[in-house]
Amino acid sequence: YIGSRISLISKSEIRYEGTLYTINTQESTVALQHVRSFGTEGRRNDGPQIQPSQEVYEYIIFRGADIKDLHVMDPSTAPAPAPAPPPAPAP
């Protein structure tokens, strides 16, 4: 899924979207590239809500322990389906 568009919600209820750059299993980290923060979007029940940011971050590295939810929005690295065979010539 490297290169896929990812939506990630941190333990502090902030949603981020970016391109999956790398996963480091030894350090339990996930790095996203070209990342936008969409704030808490009403998810936070206690404390102030965090507003979205217009800034696009080059890279953000998230520790696995800080990730509440992560899902693939656009599996751009998924294999493409095989092309259909050409039609048989008419007899």
Side-chain angles (χ1 to χ4, degrees):
Y1 290 98
I2 301 295
S4 296
R5 194 85 182 134
I6 300 293
S7 177
L8 180 151
I9 298 176
S10 70
K11 291 275 174 108
S12 26
E13 302 293 349
I14 299 170
R15 181 169 66 94
Y16 298 89
E17 286 184 9
T19 303
L20 183 59
Y21 182 72
T22 187
I23 298 172
N24 185 324
T25 55
Q26 292 178 337
E27 295 183 14
S28 297
T29 60
V30 173
L32 299 183
Q33 182 179 26
H34 306 130
V35 186
R36 282 203 52 214
S37 168
F38 290 87
T40 51
E41 301 173 310
R43 276 182 293 278
R44 215 180 245 181
N45 294 326
D46 56 339
Q49 297 294 318
I50 305 295
Q51 295 301 310
S53 171
Q54 294 300 316
E55 186 172 353
V56 176
Y57 301 93
E58 185 78 22
Y59 294 95
I60 298 181
I61 299 173
F62 298 91
R63 294 181 302 184
D66 294 334
I67 298 171
K68 178 179 178 180
D69 184 45
L70 181 148
H71 72 271
V72 177
M73 298 170 53
D74 171 24
S76 61
T77 57

